[in-house]
Amino acid sequence: MRLRVEFTTEPFDLDEAPAHAVAAREVVEAAELDSVDVGPFGNTAEGGAETVLTTVDVLLRRSLEAGATRISLQVNVIAEGEG
């Protein structure tokens, strides 16, 4: 099974990336995912289910440790041939 996770961390800071956003970005960029798209208002990553779920666990822990007060995420199953 393949999964797509979309997430944001808060609080937002439009002037510079807060530590929790940097931590989240570092986690997804270091993971062995098939694709990663990091942006100022949302982030997306795709890969095998086990890799995505493990990455989400680390992302949540590190972002909270770095000061996130809210993390919104959505996980979708990617249909065969999609992505």
Side-chain angles (χ1 to χ4, degrees), residues 3-47:
L3 299 176
R4 176 184 299 126
V5 60
E6 299 174 50
F7 66 92
T8 58
T9 62
E10 296 179 40
F12 293 114
D13 182 340
L14 297 177
D15 294 327
E16 81 177 68
H20 56 80
V22 172
R25 181 178 65 223
E26 289 173 349
V27 168
V28 295
E29 289 178 343
E32 294 184 18
L33 296 162
D34 297 334
S35 69
V36 173
D37 183 22
V38 176
F41 300 109
N43 310 284
T44 305
E46 295 181 9

